[in-house]
Amino acid sequence: MRKILCLWFVIVFITIAQNKSINQRVDSVLQLMTLEEKIGQMNQYNDDWKATGPVTVDNDKASQVRNGQLGSLLNCLGTERTRSWQTIAMQSRLKIPLLFGQDVIHGYKTTFPIPLAEACSWDLEAIELSARIAATEASAGGIHWTFAPMVDIARDPRWGRVMEGAGEDPYLGSMIATARVRGFQGKTLGAVNSVMACAKHFAAYGAAIGGRDYNSVDMSDRLLWEVYLPPFKAAVDAGIATFMNSFNDINGVPATGNSYLQRDILKGAWKFEGFVVSDWGSIGEMINHGNVKNGYEAALSAVTAGSDMDMESRNYKNHLTQLVTAKKVPMTLIDDAVRRILRKKFELGLFDDPFKYCNAEREQQELNNPDHANSAREIAAKSIVLLKNDNHLLPLSKKTKTIAFIGPLVMPLKQNKGFWDIELPGVDSNFIVSQWEGVKNKIGAGSTLLYAKGCEIEGNNKEGFPEAVKTAAKADVVILSIGERRDMSGEAKSRSDISIPGVQEELLQALLATGKPVIVLMNAGRPLVFNYTADNAPAILYTWWLGSEAGNAIADVLFGDYTPSAKLPITFPRSIGQIPIYYSHFNTGRPAHNDNNHNYNSSYTDLSIYPKYEFGYGLSYTTFQYSNLHLSKKTMARNDTIEVSVTIANTGTYAGEEIVQLYLRDKVGSIVRPVKELKDFKKIKLLPGESNTIQFIIDDEKLSFYNQQLHWGAEPGDFDIMIGASSEDIRFQESFELIQ
Ligand code: NOJ
């Protein structure tokens, strides 16, 4: 104990000393800076790689860097390019290094499953590892800073960026946010294989009205604090270096100019010490919002509200000097922003060695590290959700004589990569494993794999149907790969109709008519509505976009080398008319039941209120039995805990993993409480016949919520505890009481 205490004191002492010395170094640089140089640090421009927003034409960037008028670049890839920019920065008066930022959202060269897919794994270690590898590769490629993780809660699958987050739930979202921050930032910022993470988009961007990207958000404080803010708070607690604000207005105030969000909550209540970058052009977009008259007012509003760096809009560059001279913006605000930015440059070690991340040899090594592909394959397999498996059609035998692999997504390489893939200059796409290649490599020598495209992803052309039907007729089993194109979900990719595009479901219908068993692989960046497929295909794997190892991972699952374990982190609606639909809804005064009784209750007269697939749902090749639920007590005092245990047994014939979910319901609250809220989960691996007893701890914190005055705390009374395999597949329910 003594030793641990001593060690703790030493660590605290070293941290304080390091902070002190960094602060001193920051101040010593700040003292030397002119106002123009300070404002320069607050600007970030786009470089020449693919633009991820409307570009401001500027042929003068190099001289601005030389004059110390730029703090950061984005979309600047590779050690050669970053080195050449940093060389220019080193010609500036104070030699302040540039920061290179990039959207490394689901991998750098090695592409991982899109974040929503990865969230299906509920596997925090795997998610951390994927971010770790992305950071290792990106930092080797000269990048200091990723604009990830996106921690926006999203409950509307029409919104294209639903693919980029962790789904609908604040608890799961917070755990995943923490894992991703840890993965990106590694053990310490400044390690050569770490990058700064960036929690975005602050805040509530995912609640855009109608699912339309960049749209307004109108939301109560309760919803904001209870559902949309927790993953951001988790990111702060995990030590995240930066935040990005968002395009949307919230309750009439653009997030970029929102002091309540950035000053009161983030830098005030949460004591966030990193810096905030605007979203692309979002400072200037406040003019379009109708909240400020011109760029001058936009810059004033953003800097006052706590936006430290202007991504691409040029309003800081064009107006901040004038604003400071006119005493509209106090110098202390500028100094605070610049200090925050310089501090990160020091923490990254860039003042000591500006070229630390520009090592071409390391770049080559890390971008060709075979371990990365192996990890990507494992994580991709963990992200595939088995939605349906009638009569144990899956897994397939590797000795199946003839397999027909049909559909527009069988052969493509890049489609597997998803929206935010990075096409690195000089790297071709051949390292991506197509679905065809994955399956082809898996099957035995005696098996034949046949192919037909059938149709395109979009359009009405059915000319390929006869060929596809003929191919299916020759096979013992058909695998059909359909879904969205990779650019159909993502930024600015909202869709009002989220059913399967084109004639792909008709192709399925034609194939089913052959009488052959058809396994559907559904590739998408969002929950789609696909009732025909869901009701008629005997087996469905939701494969999302799985990244560069997609083909191998799909084959691993199809042929049973990996038993699917993923569960949905977002509700799948049965109709677009149900959106928004999420599991943690209120009961209402007139709760609906699925008994076709529409007698003045909260239901639809023409549609079930239940989703097609609920939050937490996902099948396995094996079966799990839940038994022996035990609560250590039935009454709990404040600051006390209840230990909950439950035994899980693998009763099937495959080794597999189960995600055991714990939900709570506060029966009576001063503010109405949801019918259930996820409060804990555990993913356990069991061999056939094996069982394990797992424990959960219920404490005050798990029972707490924000009351009407936005005070966080638990209220005495009765609670239900539910343990299950999904939000609807509840295996045990018990009650307990919290007493004063
Ligand atoms: C706009 C997006 O909203 C943001 O997430 C991204 O990081 C920036 N563009 C930079 O590409």
Side-chain angles (χ1 to χ4, degrees):
M1 189 64 197
R2 234 202 187 148
K3 270 194 191 151
I4 293 175
L5 260 180
C6 279
L7 192 68
W8 185 78
F9 276 123
V10 172
I11 292 172
V12 170
F13 181 77
I14 293 175
T15 313
I16 293 173
Q18 272 172 351
N19 280 344
K20 199 169 159 212
S21 93
I22 287 190
N23 286 340
Q24 280 166 350
R25 292 180 77 186
V26 167
D27 282 339
S28 66
V29 175
L30 198 71
Q31 267 174 22
L32 304 173
M33 294 171 82
T34 62
L35 176 60
E36 275 62 35
E37 284 166 335
K38 288 179 183 174
I39 292 169
Q41 287 303 306
M42 297 168 70
N43 288 307
Q44 181 184 59
Y45 297 167
N46 185 55
D47 190 25
D48 72 338
W49 189 71
K50 173 175 110 176
T52 43
V55 180
T56 310
V57 179
D58 185 340
N59 298 321
D60 184 35
K61 284 179 203 155
S63 58
Q64 292 177 56
V65 173
R66 216 168 271 119
N67 292 336
Q69 289 170 319
L70 192 71
S72 174
L73 280 165
L74 78 151
N75 291 333
C76 172
L77 288 180
T79 54
E80 201 183 314
R81 183 97 190 154
T82 51
R83 179 174 281 277
S84 74
W85 274 114
Q86 203 66 295
T87 306
I88 300 176
M90 288 306 109
Q91 292 158 10
S92 66
R93 190 178 77 90
L94 294 174
K95 302 189 183 351
I96 300 178
L98 287 168
L99 276 178
F100 301 111
Q102 183 67 32
D103 290 296
V104 184
I105 309 293
H106 44 106
Y108 184 70
K109 181 191 168 203
T110 308
T111 315
F112 290 90
I114 56 166
L116 185 61
E118 253 187 23
C120 296
S121 72
W122 299 46
D123 189 325
L124 302 175
E125 270 176 41
I127 291 172
E128 183 174 333
L129 179 63
S130 121
R132 184 87 290 280
I133 294 171
T136 304
E137 291 187 2
S139 59
I143 304 301
H144 308 135
W145 176 20
T146 173
F147 304 127
M150 187 190 98
V151 301
D152 295 309
I153 295 294
R155 295 177 162 187
D156 189 333
R158 291 172 300 179
W159 188 49
R161 297 192 82 169
V162 72
M163 54 82 57
E164 207 178 324
E168 74 183 45
D169 185 66
Y171 179 79
L172 182 60
S174 299
M175 302 300 279
I176 291 177
T178 305
R180 291 199 165 127
V181 174
R182 283 199 190 132
F184 285 130
Q185 298 196 166
K187 284 205 180 74
T188 158
L189 224 53
V192 76
N193 59 1
S194 292
V195 293
M196 296 196 293
C198 180
K200 68 188 191 184
H201 306 83
F202 199 57
Y205 180 46
I209 294 171
R212 200 151 51 80
D213 211 355
Y214 317 122
N215 204 4
S216 299
V217 171
D218 206 276
M219 162 177 304
S220 70
D221 264 349
R222 184 202 64 78
L223 191 61
L224 178 69
W225 280 87
E226 196 166 296
V227 174
Y228 287 84
L229 291 185
F232 287 101
K233 177 63 167 55
V236 173
D237 292 343
I240 197 157
T242 70
F243 259 56
M244 185 186 290
N245 56 37
S246 57
F247 291 120
N248 56 285
D249 74 271
I250 168 161
N251 303 333
V253 183
T256 304
N258 200 310
S259 287
Y260 175 57
L261 289 174
Q262 297 172 92
R263 292 255 177 240
D264 299 353
I265 299 177
L266 181 60
K267 294 179 176 175
W270 294 352
K271 300 187 172 32
F272 172 66
E273 288 184 348
F275 70 87
V276 181
V277 63
S278 79
D279 203 344
W280 182 296
S282 69
I283 296 182
E285 288 175 19
M286 287 196 285
I287 305 169
N288 290 343
H289 276 290
N291 189 238
V292 294
K293 207 160 67 188
N294 48 33
Y296 181 85
E297 285 187 9
L300 173 61
S301 167
V303 79
T304 308
S307 303
D308 301 306
M309 187 181 273
D310 173 3
M311 184 192 286
E312 201 39 37
S313 99
R314 304 293 197 278
N315 284 297
Y316 281 1
K317 171 183 180 249
N318 293 338
H319 304 291
L320 273 186
T321 310
Q322 210 189 334
L323 281 161
V324 173
T325 318
K327 300 209 172 353
K328 299 260 188 199
V329 172
M331 197 62 180
T332 48
L333 272 195
I334 303 290
D335 282 349
D336 176 58
V338 178
R339 257 198 200 98
R340 287 168 181 272
I341 296 163
L342 291 183
R343 207 189 140 80
K344 292 303 161 202
K345 294 188 176 184
F346 270 109
E347 283 174 14
L348 287 170
L350 291 174
F351 274 97
D352 299 318
D353 177 6
F355 300 101
K356 184 171 165 184
Y357 301 86
C358 304
N359 179 334
E361 208 178 303
R362 190 180 153 240
E363 183 179 32
Q364 275 319 304
Q365 232 169 38
E366 294 298 0
L367 298 195
N368 295 297
N369 183 338
D371 292 348
H372 295 179
N374 293 338
S375 301
R377 178 175 184 163
E378 277 172 33
I379 295 166
K382 289 179 178 199
S383 306
I384 298 173
V385 192
L386 178 63
L387 292 180
K388 192 173 177 189
N389 194 18
D390 283 357
N391 304 320
H392 306 287
L393 179 55
L394 286 171
L396 294 175
S397 159
K398 288 174 198 160
K399 293 189 189 133
T400 309
K401 253 187 130 228
T402 310
I403 301 172
F405 203 179
I406 296 176
L409 284 147
V410 174
M411 291 298 182
L413 295 174
K414 285 192 200 159
Q415 290 300 341
N416 295 296
K417 289 185 83 186
F419 184 81
W420 284 104
D421 82 298
I422 299 174
E423 274 172 41
L424 288 170
V427 175
D428 70 23
S429 303
N430 284 332
F431 70 99
I432 305 167
V433 183
S434 72
Q435 300 182 9
W436 172 263
E437 198 186 337
V439 171
K440 182 92 193 142
N441 290 342
K442 182 70 77 178
I443 54 175
S447 299
T448 309
L449 191 60
L450 307 174
Y451 169 70
K453 187 172 184 183
C455 63
E456 300 295 335
I457 294 172
E458 279 184 299
N460 298 323
N461 193 337
K462 296 185 198 168
E463 277 167 18
F465 278 28
E467 174 67 26
V469 168
K470 226 163 60 192
T471 309
K474 288 186 213 151
D476 301 300
V477 66
V478 179
I479 308 169
L480 174 66
S481 187
I482 54 176
E484 289 188 310
R485 249 193 354 253
R486 70 174 172 139
D487 61 357
M488 291 177 108
S489 294
E491 186 180 346
K493 300 291 180 261
S494 294
R495 288 172 60 206
S496 66
D497 179 358
I498 56 167
S499 51
I500 304 177
V503 290
Q504 297 178 94
E505 255 188 342
E506 286 173 62
L507 175 62
L508 169 64
Q509 203 172 351
L511 297 176
L512 286 171
T514 63
K516 303 288 174 171
V518 182
I519 298 152
V520 174
L521 307 179
M522 194 69 85
N523 306 263
R526 51 158 63 87
L528 295 172
V529 171
F530 49 98
N531 291 318
Y532 175 79
T533 306
D535 297 342
N536 294 285
I540 305 169
L541 289 168
Y542 215 81
T543 53
W544 308 97
W545 293 315
L546 294 170
S548 34
E549 286 293 311
N552 284 333
I554 287 172
D556 288 343
V557 169
L558 281 171
F559 295 91
D561 287 337
Y562 181 79
T563 301
S565 63
K567 307 234 183 195
L568 299 175
I570 186 165
T571 305
F572 275 44
R574 62 178 61 236
S575 153
I576 298 160
Q578 290 183 317
I579 299 170
I581 179 169
Y582 45 91
Y583 83 93
S584 65
H585 56 83
F586 293 155
N587 202 33
T588 80
R590 295 187 180 190
H593 305 286
N594 207 13
D595 56 3
N596 287 330
N597 168 6
H598 305 298
N599 200 6
Y600 293 96
N601 64 23
S602 180
S603 57
Y604 297 111
T605 55
D606 58 349
L607 181 70
S608 155
I609 57 157
Y610 293 96
K612 196 71 186 172
Y613 299 107
E614 74 272 12
F615 176 87
Y617 173 83
L619 302 174
S620 169
Y621 294 154
T622 190
T623 45
F624 297 99
Q625 191 186 61
Y626 289 50
S627 63
N628 299 333
L629 176 74
H630 181 256
L631 269 62
S632 62
K633 46 179 104 76
K634 291 293 191 69
T635 36
M636 172 182 150
R638 280 180 192 284
N639 303 323
D640 196 0
T641 55
I642 296 180
E643 283 105 66
V644 182
S645 62
V646 62
T647 303
I648 314 295
N650 182 344
T651 47
T653 49
Y654 296 89
E657 291 152 285
E658 173 69 325
I659 300 165
V660 184
Q661 301 158 43
L662 182 149
Y663 297 88
L664 288 175
R665 178 177 185 179
D666 184 343
K667 299 299 287 288
V668 179
S670 60
I671 281 203
V672 174
R673 308 304 307 141
V675 293
K676 50 178 87 87
E677 292 175 277
L678 181 76
K679 289 292 174 178
D680 212 339
F681 64 87
K682 289 215 158 67
K683 184 166 186 175
I684 55 163
K685 193 170 185 170
L686 294 171
L687 296 172
E690 196 185 0
S691 69
N692 201 343
T693 299
I694 54 174
Q695 250 98 30
F696 296 104
I697 304 285
I698 308 283
D699 58 13
D700 230 44
E701 192 65 15
K702 285 196 163 47
L703 309 180
S704 296
F705 63 93
Y706 290 100
N707 68 12
Q708 240 167 331
Q709 289 71 41
L710 287 182
H711 291 149
W712 177 253
E715 292 177 357
D718 292 334
F719 289 81
D720 284 342
I721 171 167
M722 291 154 272
I723 300 223
S726 84
S727 60
E728 280 179 19
D729 185 4
I730 299 298
R731 306 288 175 93
F732 289 115
Q733 180 163 338
E734 275 276 8
S735 300
F736 65 90
E737 189 188 358
L738 175 71
I739 50 172
Q740 242 337 326

